[in-house]
């Protein structure tokens, strides 16, 4: 049985996004960085161990189905997340393991099996970040000339997630018998096909694994569009948001939790974890100098091209010493990435920033909020957002890895602990326990099955023929 924290006392949640050498594009150029880190499993394990020493909830791995960055300058997310997380699981004991897998270019059965396996081998620490994929290079890697329509992607994602959850629950909790004396290994009447036939998929099932230590892996989502928020409200147990201001994040969190409650999930069913890049110094001046040094290591043509890509325009429309064009619309006629477009526009408009100032404000990145300051200043900001309900926690993106995370763990975490906001020890071993999310109950037998369960050998022979 999962042990949960005192429900009367909210607990801050902290994950770290292991984005190869760090969030800032030039992080790999620092003297202490290893340019090979993006394909070095030891680097990811080292970051995860630092996170575990700091009692963080989880590590998070983003992913792309194509090369979508400018590889002449910046490392890419190259290693497949679930394989990499299995390696991290073997070298850690408590830290949660959240990996990204797209619903656009995978099949539900494979994803269900992959993440159920990760949850079993890690003792209940797995989470699946459910994403759709909007970029053209990824589409072309899967035989398409263009990315599917936004609404189609999210319709597929919703059905995909329903199927994965059904496969995860296609074994009853007591399906495994293991009775040596009677020679009964599995009770096949308690292993049920899901017999799914929908708009996008036909999947018979059942899954190949018993229910996992967490009931099923934690479901995470990161979409900021209307469709993305609806997907999150229906399925997600944690959401990574990209709000640039306190007011935006507060509005996002309230709206998402209200929608989840309307769907019968309760107002606290979803944890909102805001993206946060930290650049830390012993003094504010030192932190600002570190930010400036990192930004100065980024070629301006790289930064302008990256910003243009987020905005869905060509680089020649941007001038370093002018503000963004007034006539910007969602990329691809609304078929591009809504989340980072909206967050970047908000940062620029709010401060009336020129392109040069915007690049510096975002530390060369795109979309996520950046805090530059001392550990005390960063702790103050985190406490403000958390106590006011603008976030239940943060998905941390340190400027450089592993040292940027070490600076956070050594400098900021003790302050948060002293203020009673963050754990000093893990209270359990599963990701659900860290996040304070209850185990999902077994949904029971489904009445509308098109086929019987698996009680007899003749049924098994017939399924082989299918």
């Amino acid at each position: 049985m999962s042990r949960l924290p005192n429900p009367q006392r909210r607990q801050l949640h902290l994950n770290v996004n292991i984005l190869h050498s760090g969030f800032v594009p030039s992080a790999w150029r620092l003297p202490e960085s290893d340019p090979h880190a993006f394909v070095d499993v030891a680097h990811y394990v080292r970051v995860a161990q630092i996170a575990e020493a700091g009692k963080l909830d989880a590590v998070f791995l983003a992913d792309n189905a194509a090369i979508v960055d400018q590889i002449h300058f910046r490392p890419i997310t190259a290693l497949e997340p679930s394989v990499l997380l299995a390696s991290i699981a073997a070298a850690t004991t408590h830290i949660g393991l959240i990996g990204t897998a797209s619903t656009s270019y995978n099949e539900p059965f494979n994803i269900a099996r992959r993440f159920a396996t990760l949850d079993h081998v890690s003792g209940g620490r797995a989470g699946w970040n459910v994403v759709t994929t909007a970029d053209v290079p990824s589409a072309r890697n899967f035989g398409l000339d263009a990315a599917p329509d936004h609404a189609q992607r999210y319709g597929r994602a919703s059905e995909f997630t329903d199927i994965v959850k059904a496969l995860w629950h296609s074994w009853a909790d007591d399906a495994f018998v293991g009775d040596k004396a009677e020679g009964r290994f599995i009770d096949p009447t308690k292993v049920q096909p899901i017999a799914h036939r929908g708009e996008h998929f036909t999947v018979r099932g059942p899954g190949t694994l018993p229910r996992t230590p967490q009931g099923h892996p934690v479901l995470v989502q990161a979409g900021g569009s209307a469709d993305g928020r609806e997907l999150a409200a229906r399925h997600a147990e944690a959401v990574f948001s990209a709000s640039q201001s306190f007011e935006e994040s507060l509005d996002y969190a309230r709206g998402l939790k209200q929608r989840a409650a309307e769907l019968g999930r309760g107002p606290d069913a979803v944890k909102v974890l805001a993206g946060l890049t930290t650049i830390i110094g012993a003094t504010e001046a030192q932190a600002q100098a570190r930010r400036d040094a990192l930004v100065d290591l980024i070629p301006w043509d790289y930064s302008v091209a990256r910003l243009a890509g987020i905005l869905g325009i060509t680089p020649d429309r941007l001038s370093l010493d002018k503000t963004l064009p007034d006539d910007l619309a969602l990329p691809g006629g609304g078929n591009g990435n809504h989340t980072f477009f909206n967050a970047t526009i908000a940062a620029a408009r709010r401060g009336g920033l020129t392109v040069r100032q915007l690049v510096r404000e975002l530390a060369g990145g795109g979309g996520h909020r950046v805090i530059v300051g001392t550990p005390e200043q960063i702790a103050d900001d985190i406490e403000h957002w958390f106590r006011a309900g603008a976030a239940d926690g943060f998905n941390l993106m340190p400027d450089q890895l592993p040292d940027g995370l070490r600076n956070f763990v050594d400098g900021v975490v003790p302050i948060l602990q002293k203020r009673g906001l963050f754990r000093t020890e893990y209270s359990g071993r599963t990701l659900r326990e860290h996040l304070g999310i209850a185990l999902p109950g077994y949904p029971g037998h489904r009445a509308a099955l098109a086929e019987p369960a698996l009680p007899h050998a003749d049924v098994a022979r017939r399924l082989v023929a299918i």
Side-chain angles (χ1 to χ4, degrees):
M1 179 62 67
S2 178
R3 293 172 294 163
L4 298 180
N6 184 342
Q8 303 304 316
R9 182 183 179 188
R10 287 176 71 225
Q11 177 180 260
L12 178 70
H13 301 290
L14 297 171
N15 299 332
V16 59
N17 181 354
I18 311 183
L19 193 63
H20 36 78
S21 298
F23 177 78
V24 181
S26 59
W28 66 276
R29 299 186 68 187
L30 294 180
E32 62 269 28
S33 294
D34 177 9
H36 293 95
F38 78 114
V39 289
D40 181 5
V41 66
H43 167 74
Y44 293 87
V45 167
R46 184 161 55 249
V47 173
Q49 290 173 336
I50 294 169
E52 187 167 79
K55 313 305 178 188
L56 271 61
D57 294 71
V59 299
F60 165 69
L61 295 181
D63 194 35
N64 293 109
I67 296 175
V68 296
D69 213 327
Q70 303 171 63
I71 60 173
H72 72 278
F73 178 72
R74 191 187 192 195
I76 58 174
T77 50
L79 297 173
E80 197 281 318
S82 65
V83 175
L84 181 53
L85 288 171
S87 298
I88 293 173
T92 56
T93 57
H94 287 76
I95 195 79
L97 309 160
I98 302 173
T100 298
S102 173
T103 59
S104 300
Y105 304 116
N106 282 293
E107 290 293 323
F109 189 89
N110 289 343
I111 294 303
R113 188 183 188 201
R114 192 180 306 167
F115 281 88
T117 297
L118 181 62
D119 207 40
H120 276 290
V121 302
S122 67
R125 295 187 277 147
W128 171 34
N129 180 38
V130 185
V131 301
T132 70
T133 304
D135 64 275
V136 174
S138 294
R140 289 173 176 165
N141 280 344
F142 291 88
L144 302 175
D145 292 327
D149 174 78
H150 185 88
Q152 181 184 359
R153 292 201 315 272
Y154 276 94
R156 175 185 168 100
S158 184
E159 184 179 341
F160 191 116
T161 308
D162 280 333
I163 296 167
V164 169
K165 290 164 70 174
L167 289 167
W168 282 339
H169 294 295
S170 58
W171 290 54
D173 286 328
D174 56 351
F176 175 75
V177 180
D179 188 328
K180 295 181 180 180
E182 296 292 330
R184 296 177 66 241
F185 191 69
I186 300 292
D187 182 345
T189 67
K190 296 182 178 181
V191 180
Q192 296 230 359
I194 66 171
H196 177 90
R197 290 179 175 84
E199 179 181 355
H200 301 279
F201 303 101
T202 298
V203 180
R204 189 177 190 281
T208 59
L209 290 167
R211 287 230 303 169
T212 74
Q214 296 190 103
H216 65 66
V218 173
L219 286 166
V220 181
Q221 209 270 334
S225 67
D227 289 331
R229 295 184 191 202
E230 183 68 15
L231 181 67
R234 290 184 178 278
H235 295 291
E237 294 164 302
V239 171
F240 297 153
S241 66
S243 300
Q244 276 288 339
S245 73
F246 170 84
E247 292 76 17
E248 292 166 23
S249 190
L250 185 62
D251 181 67
Y252 177 89
R254 286 175 173 172
L256 181 62
K257 290 172 183 284
Q258 179 179 341
R259 180 57 180 150
E262 291 170 354
L263 293 169
R265 299 187 59 205
D268 300 315
V270 185
K271 307 291 184 182
V272 175
L273 308 175
L276 181 64
T277 294
T278 56
I279 303 177
I280 303 172
T283 66
E284 186 175 355
Q286 287 182 9
Q288 295 284 355
R290 179 175 172 89
R291 190 268 307 276
D292 291 344
L294 282 163
V295 173
D296 289 343
L297 286 171
I298 308 170
W300 283 105
D301 61 347
Y302 169 91
S303 295
V304 171
R306 187 179 189 201
L307 179 59
I310 291 169
L311 299 176
I313 60 177
T314 56
D316 60 359
R317 294 196 61 196
L318 298 175
S319 177
L320 281 174
D321 295 310
K322 294 182 179 179
T323 57
L324 296 181
D326 293 328
D327 59 346
L328 296 175
L330 282 166
N335 202 36
N337 190 309
H338 292 209
T339 303
F340 291 124
F341 174 87
N342 289 327
T344 301
I345 292 290
R349 304 295 193 218
R350 186 176 62 254
L353 303 177
T354 66
V355 169
R356 189 188 304 274
Q357 292 169 329
L358 180 60
V359 168
R360 196 164 293 275
E361 179 77 11
L362 298 175
H368 286 294
R369 191 167 68 101
V370 179
I371 299 183
V372 183
T374 65
E376 191 83 22
Q377 289 172 319
I378 292 170
D380 287 345
D381 186 276
I382 287 174
E383 180 174 6
H384 171 56
W385 280 50
F386 173 69
R387 288 197 185 279
D392 297 300
F394 295 86
N395 198 33
L396 301 172
M397 287 162 286
D399 53 357
Q400 185 269 349
L401 292 170
D403 289 353
L405 177 61
R406 189 177 287 111
N407 292 341
F408 187 94
V409 166
D410 292 345
V412 181
V413 167
I415 298 172
L416 298 172
Q417 291 171 331
K418 186 176 180 180
R419 296 179 185 181
L421 300 174
F422 193 63
R423 68 174 69 86
T424 56
E425 294 293 340
Y426 289 109
S427 61
R429 286 187 174 270
T430 71
L431 179 55
R432 287 186 179 278
E433 289 174 306
H434 302 342
L435 292 171
I437 300 171
L439 285 168
Y442 173 65
H445 293 341
R446 300 167 183 82
L449 289 174
E451 302 278 354
L454 304 175
H456 303 298
D458 60 329
V459 173
R461 284 193 296 272
R462 183 158 51 88
L463 290 180
V464 171
I466 295 174

mmCIF file with all atom_site columns, all heavy atoms in Angstrom, residues 212-228:
data_model
loop_
_atom_site.group_PDB
_atom_site.id
_atom_site.type_symbol
_atom_site.label_atom_id
_atom_site.label_alt_id
_atom_site.label_comp_id
_atom_site.label_asym_id
_atom_site.label_entity_id
_atom_site.label_seq_id
_atom_site.pdbx_PDB_ins_code
_atom_site.Cartn_x
_atom_site.Cartn_y
_atom_site.Cartn_z
_atom_site.occupancy
_atom_site.B_iso_or_equiv
_atom_site.pdbx_formal_charge
_atom_site.auth_seq_id
_atom_site.auth_comp_id
_atom_site.auth_asym_id
_atom_site.auth_atom_id
_atom_site.pdbx_PDB_model_num
ATOM 1   N N   . THR A 1 212 ? 1.846  -3.052 -12.402 1.00 0.00 ? 212 THR A N   1
ATOM 2   C CA  . THR A 1 212 ? 3.166  -2.664 -11.921 1.00 0.00 ? 212 THR A CA  1
ATOM 3   C C   . THR A 1 212 ? 3.115  -2.246 -10.459 1.00 0.00 ? 212 THR A C   1
ATOM 4   O O   . THR A 1 212 ? 2.036  -2.092 -9.876  1.00 0.00 ? 212 THR A O   1
ATOM 5   C CB  . THR A 1 212 ? 3.728  -1.513 -12.775 1.00 0.00 ? 212 THR A CB  1
ATOM 6   O OG1 . THR A 1 212 ? 3.029  -0.300 -12.437 1.00 0.00 ? 212 THR A OG1 1
ATOM 7   C CG2 . THR A 1 212 ? 3.576  -1.807 -14.263 1.00 0.00 ? 212 THR A CG2 1
ATOM 8   N N   . PRO A 1 213 ? 4.280  -2.042 -9.834  1.00 0.00 ? 213 PRO A N   1
ATOM 9   C CA  . PRO A 1 213 ? 4.287  -1.635 -8.417  1.00 0.00 ? 213 PRO A CA  1
ATOM 10  C C   . PRO A 1 213 ? 3.485  -0.370 -8.137  1.00 0.00 ? 213 PRO A C   1
ATOM 11  O O   . PRO A 1 213 ? 3.029  -0.171 -7.011  1.00 0.00 ? 213 PRO A O   1
ATOM 12  C CB  . PRO A 1 213 ? 5.777  -1.414 -8.140  1.00 0.00 ? 213 PRO A CB  1
ATOM 13  C CG  . PRO A 1 213 ? 6.481  -2.333 -9.083  1.00 0.00 ? 213 PRO A CG  1
ATOM 14  C CD  . PRO A 1 213 ? 5.644  -2.311 -10.331 1.00 0.00 ? 213 PRO A CD  1
ATOM 15  N N   . GLN A 1 214 ? 3.314  0.493  -9.140  1.00 0.00 ? 214 GLN A N   1
ATOM 16  C CA  . GLN A 1 214 ? 2.538  1.719  -8.940  1.00 0.00 ? 214 GLN A CA  1
ATOM 17  C C   . GLN A 1 214 ? 1.090  1.589  -9.418  1.00 0.00 ? 214 GLN A C   1
ATOM 18  O O   . GLN A 1 214 ? 0.380  2.585  -9.500  1.00 0.00 ? 214 GLN A O   1
ATOM 19  C CB  . GLN A 1 214 ? 3.187  2.887  -9.689  1.00 0.00 ? 214 GLN A CB  1
ATOM 20  C CG  . GLN A 1 214 ? 4.563  3.266  -9.190  1.00 0.00 ? 214 GLN A CG  1
ATOM 21  C CD  . GLN A 1 214 ? 5.032  4.568  -9.811  1.00 0.00 ? 214 GLN A CD  1
ATOM 22  O OE1 . GLN A 1 214 ? 4.995  5.611  -9.167  1.00 0.00 ? 214 GLN A OE1 1
ATOM 23  N NE2 . GLN A 1 214 ? 5.473  4.503  -11.057 1.00 0.00 ? 214 GLN A NE2 1
ATOM 24  N N   . GLY A 1 215 ? 0.658  0.378  -9.754  1.00 0.00 ? 215 GLY A N   1
ATOM 25  C CA  . GLY A 1 215 ? -0.636 0.227  -10.408 1.00 0.00 ? 215 GLY A CA  1
ATOM 26  C C   . GLY A 1 215 ? -0.463 0.484  -11.891 1.00 0.00 ? 215 GLY A C   1
ATOM 27  O O   . GLY A 1 215 ? -0.743 -0.354 -12.728 1.00 0.00 ? 215 GLY A O   1
ATOM 28  N N   . HIS A 1 216 ? 0.014  1.641  -12.228 1.00 0.00 ? 216 HIS A N   1
ATOM 29  C CA  . HIS A 1 216 ? 0.563  1.921  -13.551 1.00 0.00 ? 216 HIS A CA  1
ATOM 30  C C   . HIS A 1 216 ? 1.533  3.096  -13.425 1.00 0.00 ? 216 HIS A C   1
ATOM 31  O O   . HIS A 1 216 ? 1.462  3.878  -12.462 1.00 0.00 ? 216 HIS A O   1
ATOM 32  C CB  . HIS A 1 216 ? -0.520 2.185  -14.607 1.00 0.00 ? 216 HIS A CB  1
ATOM 33  C CG  . HIS A 1 216 ? -1.358 3.428  -14.397 1.00 0.00 ? 216 HIS A CG  1
ATOM 34  N ND1 . HIS A 1 216 ? -0.838 4.711  -14.476 1.00 0.00 ? 216 HIS A ND1 1
ATOM 35  C CD2 . HIS A 1 216 ? -2.678 3.593  -14.169 1.00 0.00 ? 216 HIS A CD2 1
ATOM 36  C CE1 . HIS A 1 216 ? -1.794 5.596  -14.287 1.00 0.00 ? 216 HIS A CE1 1
ATOM 37  N NE2 . HIS A 1 216 ? -2.920 4.945  -14.088 1.00 0.00 ? 216 HIS A NE2 1
ATOM 38  N N   . PRO A 1 217 ? 2.463  3.243  -14.362 1.00 0.00 ? 217 PRO A N   1
ATOM 39  C CA  . PRO A 1 217 ? 3.393  4.376  -14.297 1.00 0.00 ? 217 PRO A CA  1
ATOM 40  C C   . PRO A 1 217 ? 2.651  5.704  -14.225 1.00 0.00 ? 217 PRO A C   1
ATOM 41  O O   . PRO A 1 217 ? 1.533  5.847  -14.725 1.00 0.00 ? 217 PRO A O   1
ATOM 42  C CB  . PRO A 1 217 ? 4.183  4.247  -15.615 1.00 0.00 ? 217 PRO A CB  1
ATOM 43  C CG  . PRO A 1 217 ? 4.128  2.781  -15.937 1.00 0.00 ? 217 PRO A CG  1
ATOM 44  C CD  . PRO A 1 217 ? 2.764  2.336  -15.490 1.00 0.00 ? 217 PRO A CD  1
ATOM 45  N N   . VAL A 1 218 ? 3.289  6.679  -13.600 1.00 0.00 ? 218 VAL A N   1
ATOM 46  C CA  . VAL A 1 218 ? 2.695  8.010  -13.503 1.00 0.00 ? 218 VAL A CA  1
ATOM 47  C C   . VAL A 1 218 ? 2.580  8.613  -14.906 1.00 0.00 ? 218 VAL A C   1
ATOM 48  O O   . VAL A 1 218 ? 3.507  8.535  -15.711 1.00 0.00 ? 218 VAL A O   1
ATOM 49  C CB  . VAL A 1 218 ? 3.555  8.921  -12.605 1.00 0.00 ? 218 VAL A CB  1
ATOM 50  C CG1 . VAL A 1 218 ? 3.044  10.360 -12.647 1.00 0.00 ? 218 VAL A CG1 1
ATOM 51  C CG2 . VAL A 1 218 ? 3.544  8.395  -11.170 1.00 0.00 ? 218 VAL A CG2 1
ATOM 52  N N   . LEU A 1 219 ? 1.427  9.208  -15.195 1.00 0.00 ? 219 LEU A N   1
ATOM 53  C CA  . LEU A 1 219 ? 1.194  9.838  -16.487 1.00 0.00 ? 219 LEU A CA  1
ATOM 54  C C   . LEU A 1 219 ? 1.489  11.332 -16.403 1.00 0.00 ? 219 LEU A C   1
ATOM 55  O O   . LEU A 1 219 ? 0.936  12.034 -15.547 1.00 0.00 ? 219 LEU A O   1
ATOM 56  C CB  . LEU A 1 219 ? -0.248 9.619  -16.933 1.00 0.00 ? 219 LEU A CB  1
ATOM 57  C CG  . LEU A 1 219 ? -0.565 8.199  -17.425 1.00 0.00 ? 219 LEU A CG  1
ATOM 58  C CD1 . LEU A 1 219 ? -2.066 7.997  -17.515 1.00 0.00 ? 219 LEU A CD1 1
ATOM 59  C CD2 . LEU A 1 219 ? 0.084  7.953  -18.780 1.00 0.00 ? 219 LEU A CD2 1
ATOM 60  N N   . VAL A 1 220 ? 2.359  11.795 -17.287 1.00 0.00 ? 220 VAL A N   1
ATOM 61  C CA  . VAL A 1 220 ? 2.790  13.183 -17.305 1.00 0.00 ? 220 VAL A CA  1
ATOM 62  C C   . VAL A 1 220 ? 2.454  13.758 -18.673 1.00 0.00 ? 220 VAL A C   1
ATOM 63  O O   . VAL A 1 220 ? 2.452  13.042 -19.683 1.00 0.00 ? 220 VAL A O   1
ATOM 64  C CB  . VAL A 1 220 ? 4.305  13.286 -17.036 1.00 0.00 ? 220 VAL A CB  1
ATOM 65  C CG1 . VAL A 1 220 ? 4.776  14.727 -17.026 1.00 0.00 ? 220 VAL A CG1 1
ATOM 66  C CG2 . VAL A 1 220 ? 4.653  12.591 -15.713 1.00 0.00 ? 220 VAL A CG2 1
ATOM 67  N N   . GLN A 1 221 ? 2.176  15.062 -18.730 1.00 0.00 ? 221 GLN A N   1
ATOM 68  C CA  . GLN A 1 221 ? 1.842  15.700 -20.004 1.00 0.00 ? 221 GLN A CA  1
ATOM 69  C C   . GLN A 1 221 ? 2.383  17.125 -19.993 1.00 0.00 ? 221 GLN A C   1
ATOM 70  O O   . GLN A 1 221 ? 2.625  17.691 -18.931 1.00 0.00 ? 221 GLN A O   1
ATOM 71  C CB  . GLN A 1 221 ? 0.327  15.696 -20.210 1.00 0.00 ? 221 GLN A CB  1
ATOM 72  C CG  . GLN A 1 221 ? -0.132 15.661 -21.655 1.00 0.00 ? 221 GLN A CG  1
ATOM 73  C CD  . GLN A 1 221 ? -0.300 17.035 -22.238 1.00 0.00 ? 221 GLN A CD  1
ATOM 74  O OE1 . GLN A 1 221 ? -0.553 17.999 -21.529 1.00 0.00 ? 221 GLN A OE1 1
ATOM 75  N NE2 . GLN A 1 221 ? -0.157 17.133 -23.554 1.00 0.00 ? 221 GLN A NE2 1
ATOM 76  N N   . ALA A 1 222 ? 2.616  17.683 -21.177 1.00 0.00 ? 222 ALA A N   1
ATOM 77  C CA  . ALA A 1 222 ? 3.263  18.997 -21.228 1.00 0.00 ? 222 ALA A CA  1
ATOM 78  C C   . ALA A 1 222 ? 2.631  19.947 -22.233 1.00 0.00 ? 222 ALA A C   1
ATOM 79  O O   . ALA A 1 222 ? 3.208  20.988 -22.518 1.00 0.00 ? 222 ALA A O   1
ATOM 80  C CB  . ALA A 1 222 ? 4.748  18.828 -21.557 1.00 0.00 ? 222 ALA A CB  1
ATOM 81  N N   . GLY A 1 223 ? 1.473  19.645 -22.778 1.00 0.00 ? 223 GLY A N   1
ATOM 82  C CA  . GLY A 1 223 ? 0.873  20.504 -23.794 1.00 0.00 ? 223 GLY A CA  1
ATOM 83  C C   . GLY A 1 223 ? 0.248  21.756 -23.208 1.00 0.00 ? 223 GLY A C   1
ATOM 84  O O   . GLY A 1 223 ? -0.421 21.699 -22.176 1.00 0.00 ? 223 GLY A O   1
ATOM 85  N N   . GLY A 1 224 ? 0.444  22.898 -23.889 1.00 0.00 ? 224 GLY A N   1
ATOM 86  C CA  . GLY A 1 224 ? -0.131 24.151 -23.432 1.00 0.00 ? 224 GLY A CA  1
ATOM 87  C C   . GLY A 1 224 ? -1.298 24.636 -24.257 1.00 0.00 ? 224 GLY A C   1
ATOM 88  O O   . GLY A 1 224 ? -1.947 25.622 -23.900 1.00 0.00 ? 224 GLY A O   1
ATOM 89  N N   . SER A 1 225 ? -1.596 23.972 -25.365 1.00 0.00 ? 225 SER A N   1
ATOM 90  C CA  . SER A 1 225 ? -2.729 24.366 -26.197 1.00 0.00 ? 225 SER A CA  1
ATOM 91  C C   . SER A 1 225 ? -4.032 23.935 -25.526 1.00 0.00 ? 225 SER A C   1
ATOM 92  O O   . SER A 1 225 ? -4.036 23.208 -24.530 1.00 0.00 ? 225 SER A O   1
ATOM 93  C CB  . SER A 1 225 ? -2.626 23.705 -27.573 1.00 0.00 ? 225 SER A CB  1
ATOM 94  O OG  . SER A 1 225 ? -2.791 22.301 -27.459 1.00 0.00 ? 225 SER A OG  1
ATOM 95  N N   . ALA A 1 226 ? -5.162 24.373 -26.100 1.00 0.00 ? 226 ALA A N   1
ATOM 96  C CA  . ALA A 1 226 ? -6.460 23.964 -25.558 1.00 0.00 ? 226 ALA A CA  1
ATOM 97  C C   . ALA A 1 226 ? -6.613 22.450 -25.600 1.00 0.00 ? 226 ALA A C   1
ATOM 98  O O   . ALA A 1 226 ? -7.079 21.823 -24.637 1.00 0.00 ? 226 ALA A O   1
ATOM 99  C CB  . ALA A 1 226 ? -7.593 24.643 -26.334 1.00 0.00 ? 226 ALA A CB  1
ATOM 100 N N   . ASP A 1 227 ? -6.197 21.838 -26.713 1.00 0.00 ? 227 ASP A N   1
ATOM 101 C CA  . ASP A 1 227 ? -6.265 20.375 -26.819 1.00 0.00 ? 227 ASP A CA  1
ATOM 102 C C   . ASP A 1 227 ? -5.317 19.710 -25.827 1.00 0.00 ? 227 ASP A C   1
ATOM 103 O O   . ASP A 1 227 ? -5.638 18.669 -25.236 1.00 0.00 ? 227 ASP A O   1
ATOM 104 C CB  . ASP A 1 227 ? -5.914 19.936 -28.241 1.00 0.00 ? 227 ASP A CB  1
ATOM 105 C CG  . ASP A 1 227 ? -6.993 20.289 -29.250 1.00 0.00 ? 227 ASP A CG  1
ATOM 106 O OD1 . ASP A 1 227 ? -8.173 20.346 -28.857 1.00 0.00 ? 227 ASP A OD1 1
ATOM 107 O OD2 . ASP A 1 227 ? -6.655 20.525 -30.423 1.00 0.00 ? 227 ASP A OD2 1
ATOM 108 N N   . GLY A 1 228 ? -4.150 20.310 -25.652 1.00 0.00 ? 228 GLY A N   1
ATOM 109 C CA  . GLY A 1 228 ? -3.186 19.758 -24.710 1.00 0.00 ? 228 GLY A CA  1
ATOM 110 C C   . GLY A 1 228 ? -3.688 19.813 -23.286 1.00 0.00 ? 228 GLY A C   1
ATOM 111 O O   . GLY A 1 228 ? -3.510 18.875 -22.504 1.00 0.00 ? 228 GLY A O   1
#
